[in-house]
Each structure stands twice: as structure tokens, then as C-alpha cells.
Amino acid sequence: MIGESVHIGANCRIYPRAVLYSGTTLGNSVVIHAGAVLGADGFGYVRDNTSGAYTQFPQQGTLVIEDDVEIGANTTIDRGALAETRIRRGTKIDNLVHIGHNCDIGEDVIIVSGTGISGSCTVGKGAILAGQVGMGDHSHVGPGVIMGGQSGILPHKTITNKGLKPGTVMWGTPARPLMQELREQATLTRLTKRSRKESNSDK
């Protein structure tokens, strides 16, 4: 389904059951796979402090998909709340990814299946988000950062390559360099074993 005021560039491919809400713009040579939903309302609510009821904050922004972007099956990308959500040139998004409202995804980014990106996040040019990465709201991934599978970024935090070797993989929650995470896990395992031995020797 293609809504009103949707703009579609040249040489785009849109597969069955994709939905493009009003206010969505596609650049040239964009590929949208089956079941993708682009430009739906973001998950934004205001809570009444007295009753506890939630009222949706009006989602009046837009979604811009630049040239040469590919979006996988059943992926969802929300429109901006007041401004825009933008997916920049050359980015490739796998199946079953969610990108919240007001996000800015840089050029030539790879986002793998199962990744969830909360509202108002940014991802820098050339970054890689492996499967099931989670980004809290208002968090930021710098250019060229590699996030390992199931790693997590806490809200309002920034992950960069500053001071790291090129190609360093970030992993864990909160995300940190993979070798650091593995050393910490090994240390914790040794401490646990030592504690268990000391406990058994006291019996």
C-alpha cells in the first residue's frame, strides 16, 4: 500500500505487502522487501500523572530514504515525531529490524536482523550493527564502529572508535571492546570457581 503524498524516485523496487505511509520519500534505486512498513507513527506517549493513562504524542514528521538503500522483509521504520527520520545513501537493512522515530542512520551502514533502535538515535557512516543489537533512546554509534551480536547501548550513551584499533568489535551490555569483555568474563568465571572451592572447603 502506498499512501498519499509519498514520493518515489527512479528505479525503485517495492515488493508485495510493503506499506509506505503518507509523508514517506524514497530516493533512487531503493529496494523495499515484502512486509516492510515505512513511516508509521513512532512510539511516543505522554502519561497523565493523575489517571496513569497514556495519550499518543502526535507524530507529524516524515521519513526520508536516500538513494541505493535496501530494506529487508518485515522491517519497520517510524516517521519523525515533529521533524524527520532519515536513512542515508547506501545503507543496507536486513529483515526484522526496527528503527524508531527521529533516528538518523548514516551512509553505507549495515544493520542485521533482530536489531532494535530506539527513538532519536544516530548511527555514523560505515558502522555495522550485527544481529540483535539494541540501542536505547538518544544513544549514538560513531562512524565505522562495529557492534557485535546482542550487544547493547544504554540510553543517552555514545560508542566511538576513539583510541581503538580499526576493526575493533564492541560487545556486551553496556558495549565495550570485545577483548575487554572476554577478559572480564574470564575473570568473573575464575572468581566464581574460587569462591565455590572455598565454600566447599569450609563444609
Side-chain angles (χ1 to χ4, degrees), residues 110-138:
I110 294 292
I111 304 177
V112 181
S113 179
T115 291
I117 302 177
S118 300
S120 302
C121 293
T122 64
V123 179
K125 180 177 180 179
I128 298 173
L129 307 185
Q132 298 183 338
V133 166
M135 294 182 64
D137 63 280
H138 297 83

mmCIF file of all heavy atoms in Angstrom, residues 110-138:
data_model
loop_
_atom_site.group_PDB
_atom_site.id
_atom_site.type_symbol
_atom_site.label_atom_id
_atom_site.label_comp_id
_atom_site.label_asym_id
_atom_site.label_seq_id
_atom_site.Cartn_x
_atom_site.Cartn_y
_atom_site.Cartn_z
ATOM 1 N N ILE A 110 25.452 -1.015 7.796
ATOM 2 C CA ILE A 110 24.864 -2.347 7.733
ATOM 3 C C ILE A 110 24.137 -2.604 9.052
ATOM 4 O O ILE A 110 24.715 -2.461 10.134
ATOM 5 C CB ILE A 110 25.951 -3.434 7.535
ATOM 6 C CG1 ILE A 110 26.626 -3.287 6.175
ATOM 7 C CG2 ILE A 110 25.352 -4.835 7.709
ATOM 8 C CD1 ILE A 110 25.744 -3.601 4.997
ATOM 9 N N ILE A 111 22.861 -2.991 8.962
ATOM 10 C CA ILE A 111 22.070 -3.310 10.153
ATOM 11 C C ILE A 111 21.473 -4.702 9.960
ATOM 12 O O ILE A 111 20.693 -4.924 9.035
ATOM 13 C CB ILE A 111 20.960 -2.276 10.392
ATOM 14 C CG1 ILE A 111 21.557 -0.859 10.501
ATOM 15 C CG2 ILE A 111 20.172 -2.624 11.653
ATOM 16 C CD1 ILE A 111 20.527 0.232 10.669
ATOM 17 N N VAL A 112 21.829 -5.637 10.838
ATOM 18 C CA VAL A 112 21.478 -7.038 10.665
ATOM 19 C C VAL A 112 20.217 -7.380 11.467
ATOM 20 O O VAL A 112 19.860 -6.712 12.437
ATOM 21 C CB VAL A 112 22.671 -7.933 11.081
ATOM 22 C CG1 VAL A 112 22.354 -9.414 10.882
ATOM 23 C CG2 VAL A 112 23.909 -7.560 10.261
ATOM 24 N N SER A 113 19.566 -8.462 11.066
ATOM 25 C CA SER A 113 18.268 -8.893 11.583
ATOM 26 C C SER A 113 18.181 -8.890 13.112
ATOM 27 O O SER A 113 19.124 -9.236 13.808
ATOM 28 C CB SER A 113 17.980 -10.313 11.083
ATOM 29 O OG SER A 113 16.747 -10.769 11.568
ATOM 30 N N GLY A 114 17.010 -8.489 13.601
ATOM 31 C CA GLY A 114 16.744 -8.514 15.031
ATOM 32 C C GLY A 114 17.209 -7.278 15.774
ATOM 33 O O GLY A 114 16.988 -7.173 16.976
ATOM 34 N N THR A 115 17.829 -6.352 15.097
ATOM 35 C CA THR A 115 18.307 -5.133 15.748
ATOM 36 C C THR A 115 17.137 -4.193 16.041
ATOM 37 O O THR A 115 16.235 -4.032 15.213
ATOM 38 C CB THR A 115 19.351 -4.429 14.874
ATOM 39 O OG1 THR A 115 20.537 -5.220 14.845
ATOM 40 C CG2 THR A 115 19.692 -3.042 15.395
ATOM 41 N N GLY A 116 17.168 -3.573 17.211
ATOM 42 C CA GLY A 116 16.159 -2.594 17.578
ATOM 43 C C GLY A 116 16.809 -1.276 17.953
ATOM 44 O O GLY A 116 17.687 -1.232 18.819
ATOM 45 N N ILE A 117 16.400 -0.210 17.286
ATOM 46 C CA ILE A 117 16.966 1.120 17.514
ATOM 47 C C ILE A 117 15.863 2.025 18.044
ATOM 48 O O ILE A 117 14.866 2.270 17.357
ATOM 49 C CB ILE A 117 17.581 1.691 16.225
ATOM 50 C CG1 ILE A 117 18.676 0.744 15.702
ATOM 51 C CG2 ILE A 117 18.140 3.090 16.464
ATOM 52 C CD1 ILE A 117 19.299 1.192 14.387
ATOM 53 N N SER A 118 16.029 2.503 19.256
ATOM 54 C CA SER A 118 15.020 3.357 19.875
ATOM 55 C C SER A 118 15.022 4.744 19.243
ATOM 56 O O SER A 118 15.897 5.093 18.449
ATOM 57 C CB SER A 118 15.283 3.461 21.380
ATOM 58 O OG SER A 118 15.225 2.199 21.986
ATOM 59 N N GLY A 119 14.065 5.553 19.653
ATOM 60 C CA GLY A 119 13.913 6.875 19.068
ATOM 61 C C GLY A 119 15.089 7.801 19.328
ATOM 62 O O GLY A 119 15.792 7.691 20.330
ATOM 63 N N SER A 120 15.309 8.721 18.372
ATOM 64 C CA SER A 120 16.299 9.796 18.486
ATOM 65 C C SER A 120 17.729 9.294 18.598
ATOM 66 O O SER A 120 18.564 9.903 19.267
ATOM 67 C CB SER A 120 15.968 10.713 19.669
ATOM 68 O OG SER A 120 14.680 11.272 19.523
ATOM 69 N N CYS A 121 18.031 8.180 17.940
ATOM 70 C CA CYS A 121 19.401 7.653 17.894
ATOM 71 C C CYS A 121 20.073 8.047 16.589
ATOM 72 O O CYS A 121 19.417 8.335 15.595
ATOM 73 C CB CYS A 121 19.390 6.125 18.001
ATOM 74 S SG CYS A 121 18.846 5.508 19.603
ATOM 75 N N THR A 122 21.411 8.031 16.598
ATOM 76 C CA THR A 122 22.165 8.232 15.362
ATOM 77 C C THR A 122 23.177 7.097 15.204
ATOM 78 O O THR A 122 23.698 6.575 16.186
ATOM 79 C CB THR A 122 22.913 9.579 15.346
ATOM 80 O OG1 THR A 122 23.906 9.592 16.382
ATOM 81 C CG2 THR A 122 21.956 10.741 15.545
ATOM 82 N N VAL A 123 23.424 6.747 13.948
ATOM 83 C CA VAL A 123 24.436 5.752 13.605
ATOM 84 C C VAL A 123 25.325 6.369 12.528
ATOM 85 O O VAL A 123 24.832 6.826 11.497
ATOM 86 C CB VAL A 123 23.795 4.444 13.092
ATOM 87 C CG1 VAL A 123 24.872 3.438 12.709
ATOM 88 C CG2 VAL A 123 22.865 3.850 14.151
ATOM 89 N N GLY A 124 26.637 6.395 12.775
ATOM 90 C CA GLY A 124 27.560 7.060 11.874
ATOM 91 C C GLY A 124 27.863 6.275 10.616
ATOM 92 O O GLY A 124 27.610 5.064 10.516
ATOM 93 N N LYS A 125 28.436 6.961 9.660
ATOM 94 C CA LYS A 125 28.764 6.391 8.353
ATOM 95 C C LYS A 125 29.622 5.136 8.485
ATOM 96 O O LYS A 125 30.588 5.093 9.241
ATOM 97 C CB LYS A 125 29.522 7.433 7.523
ATOM 98 C CG LYS A 125 29.925 6.946 6.138
ATOM 99 C CD LYS A 125 30.606 8.057 5.361
ATOM 100 C CE LYS A 125 31.022 7.566 3.971
ATOM 101 N NZ LYS A 125 31.667 8.644 3.183
ATOM 102 N N GLY A 126 29.241 4.082 7.742
ATOM 103 C CA GLY A 126 30.050 2.872 7.670
ATOM 104 C C GLY A 126 30.004 1.980 8.889
ATOM 105 O O GLY A 126 30.730 0.996 8.962
ATOM 106 N N ALA A 127 29.152 2.278 9.858
ATOM 107 C CA ALA A 127 29.043 1.426 11.048
ATOM 108 C C ALA A 127 28.364 0.110 10.693
ATOM 109 O O ALA A 127 27.635 0.004 9.702
ATOM 110 C CB ALA A 127 28.262 2.141 12.142
ATOM 111 N N ILE A 128 28.597 -0.906 11.517
ATOM 112 C CA ILE A 128 27.974 -2.219 11.350
ATOM 113 C C ILE A 128 27.300 -2.592 12.663
ATOM 114 O O ILE A 128 27.940 -2.619 13.710
ATOM 115 C CB ILE A 128 29.011 -3.290 10.971
ATOM 116 C CG1 ILE A 128 29.661 -2.949 9.628
ATOM 117 C CG2 ILE A 128 28.364 -4.681 10.924
ATOM 118 C CD1 ILE A 128 30.809 -3.863 9.254
ATOM 119 N N LEU A 129 26.004 -2.898 12.598
ATOM 120 C CA LEU A 129 25.261 -3.376 13.752
ATOM 121 C C LEU A 129 24.884 -4.821 13.472
ATOM 122 O O LEU A 129 24.043 -5.095 12.616
ATOM 123 C CB LEU A 129 24.001 -2.539 14.001
ATOM 124 C CG LEU A 129 24.172 -1.015 14.102
ATOM 125 C CD1 LEU A 129 22.847 -0.374 14.470
ATOM 126 C CD2 LEU A 129 25.240 -0.635 15.100
ATOM 127 N N ALA A 130 25.503 -5.760 14.181
ATOM 128 C CA ALA A 130 25.235 -7.179 13.962
ATOM 129 C C ALA A 130 23.873 -7.559 14.548
ATOM 130 O O ALA A 130 23.153 -6.720 15.094
ATOM 131 C CB ALA A 130 26.348 -8.024 14.571
ATOM 132 N N GLY A 131 23.516 -8.841 14.448
ATOM 133 C CA GLY A 131 22.185 -9.292 14.833
ATOM 134 C C GLY A 131 21.841 -9.021 16.284
ATOM 135 O O GLY A 131 22.658 -9.178 17.180
ATOM 136 N N GLN A 132 20.615 -8.576 16.499
ATOM 137 C CA GLN A 132 20.036 -8.361 17.822
ATOM 138 C C GLN A 132 20.742 -7.292 18.643
ATOM 139 O O GLN A 132 20.681 -7.309 19.879
ATOM 140 C CB GLN A 132 19.977 -9.677 18.610
ATOM 141 C CG GLN A 132 19.105 -10.731 17.956
ATOM 142 C CD GLN A 132 18.993 -11.985 18.772
ATOM 143 O OE1 GLN A 132 19.831 -12.290 19.618
ATOM 144 N NE2 GLN A 132 17.940 -12.746 18.545
ATOM 145 N N VAL A 133 21.390 -6.351 18.000
ATOM 146 C CA VAL A 133 21.916 -5.192 18.734
ATOM 147 C C VAL A 133 20.737 -4.356 19.232
ATOM 148 O O VAL A 133 19.717 -4.216 18.552
ATOM 149 C CB VAL A 133 22.834 -4.346 17.831
ATOM 150 C CG1 VAL A 133 23.101 -2.969 18.449
ATOM 151 C CG2 VAL A 133 24.139 -5.073 17.585
ATOM 152 N N GLY A 134 20.866 -3.810 20.436
ATOM 153 C CA GLY A 134 19.843 -2.937 20.981
ATOM 154 C C GLY A 134 20.412 -1.568 21.322
ATOM 155 O O GLY A 134 21.454 -1.477 21.971
ATOM 156 N N MET A 135 19.733 -0.514 20.873
ATOM 157 C CA MET A 135 20.158 0.854 21.167
ATOM 158 C C MET A 135 19.071 1.551 21.970
ATOM 159 O O MET A 135 17.920 1.651 21.529
ATOM 160 C CB MET A 135 20.425 1.631 19.873
ATOM 161 C CG MET A 135 21.598 1.125 19.067
ATOM 162 S SD MET A 135 21.926 2.109 17.571
ATOM 163 C CE MET A 135 22.360 3.722 18.281
ATOM 164 N N GLY A 136 19.432 2.036 23.170
ATOM 165 C CA GLY A 136 18.498 2.814 23.966
ATOM 166 C C GLY A 136 18.275 4.188 23.365
ATOM 167 O O GLY A 136 19.055 4.661 22.527
ATOM 168 N N ASP A 137 17.217 4.852 23.801
ATOM 169 C CA ASP A 137 16.872 6.150 23.210
ATOM 170 C C ASP A 137 17.986 7.178 23.364
ATOM 171 O O ASP A 137 18.719 7.186 24.345
ATOM 172 C CB ASP A 137 15.587 6.690 23.838
ATOM 173 C CG ASP A 137 15.718 6.951 25.326
ATOM 174 O OD1 ASP A 137 15.623 5.987 26.102
ATOM 175 O OD2 ASP A 137 15.934 8.116 25.694
ATOM 176 N N HIS A 138 18.120 8.024 22.348
ATOM 177 C CA HIS A 138 19.103 9.103 22.308
ATOM 178 C C HIS A 138 20.547 8.598 22.425
ATOM 179 O O HIS A 138 21.428 9.311 22.898
ATOM 180 C CB HIS A 138 18.848 10.139 23.412
ATOM 181 C CG HIS A 138 17.537 10.859 23.278
ATOM 182 N ND1 HIS A 138 16.341 10.311 23.740
ATOM 183 C CD2 HIS A 138 17.226 12.055 22.723
ATOM 184 C CE1 HIS A 138 15.369 11.164 23.488
ATOM 185 N NE2 HIS A 138 15.873 12.230 22.869
#
